[in-house]
Amino acid sequence: MTFSIVARSDDGESWGIAVASKFLAVGSAVPAAAAGVGAIATQADANLAYKYVGLAHLDEGATAQVALDRLVEEDEGRDHRQAGIVDSDGNAATFTGPECFAWAGGVTGRSGESGGYAIQGNILTGPEVVEAMETTWLGSADLPFERRLHAALAAGDAAGGDQRGRQSAALLVVRDGAGYGGNDDVAVDLRVDDHPDPVTELARLIDLNELYLTASTPEEQVPVDDTLMAELEALAKAAGKDSFHMWVGSENYEMRVDSGARPAWIDRRILDIIRGGTS
């Protein structure tokens, strides 16, 4: 009752899962990942222990195929399970139990020297869902990793997706030091739990995640000189805040403004926002 893609980025630095289903809060059940270790999706009659036991196998050095084989061998309900795994080196494996409801199946492959992917689904409108996801994944290497995962998911959704309809979607991406403030590895962790068009809604959340929870690149940073600092302080006071620093904190833009009391730079988008432009 779910379709997903599990992948490692072509640069070898990120692991992630994108998933959608006619199931409430699919993001709470299907995906799990750890930077430098791998990623896994467990679905159909999902065995949630696959997530933690599977990552443990990978962390101990098992390849994706070996980890998946161990999970299946140890599970009496294996015939009703479906799972996809990518390991630390980008090796991928997928499994579909013979009792999964049709259409059910999956594919694996390499999208680059370091990147690998596993795409799988069950209760789909047909194999065209998985085929569309793979085609889009292979043809979108120019996209940022999280947007590439979403593009593959959207292609599966457009091709028919879950034959029962739509309800939820999720995206999980991990990368060393990519979390909020650089203090964990979770680059993206977004869930649309109950929505008539969850994959489209997930795209909107990716945009917001980039704005609020992704650090500015050097190309996006505008140096703050004395003149601009005076303008920023005046604009913050006009917005009812005691200082620009307070405005940044109250609006949750800490990832896109230099952390100093007197910031050395401000993100171009945030500058546009405080000046009254659109976000």
Side-chain angles (χ1 to χ4, degrees), residues 19-127:
V19 57
S21 182
K22 179 64 172 70
F23 183 85
L24 179 69
V26 69
S28 69
V30 169
V37 176
I40 181 170
T42 176
Q43 52 200 57
D45 184 6
N47 182 342
L48 301 194
Y50 275 24
K51 297 192 292 185
Y52 313 108
V53 177
L55 288 177
H57 287 326
L58 295 179
D59 194 36
E60 292 166 357
T63 65
Q65 189 63 63
V66 169
L68 187 53
D69 288 345
R70 289 177 182 173
L71 292 172
V72 171
E73 290 168 1
E74 298 165 359
D75 185 4
E76 293 182 357
R78 66 182 73 88
D79 288 352
H80 302 272
R81 314 294 192 207
Q82 188 174 57
I85 299 182
V86 173
D87 63 28
S88 61
D89 294 322
N91 304 303
T94 188
F95 170 80
T96 299
E99 296 299 321
C100 289
F101 296 139
W103 186 87
V107 296
T108 65
R110 283 276 186 177
S111 53
E113 183 176 343
S114 297
Y117 62 89
I119 300 171
Q120 48 280 313
N122 62 94
I123 318 186
L124 303 183
T125 56

Side-chain angles (χ1 to χ4, degrees), residues 231-232 235-236 244 247 266 269-277:
E231 179 189 358
L232 294 174
L235 289 170
F244 174 66
W247 179 85
I266 180 173
R269 291 173 65 181
I270 307 309
L271 181 57
D272 184 56
I273 289 169
I274 196 170
R275 282 174 169 171

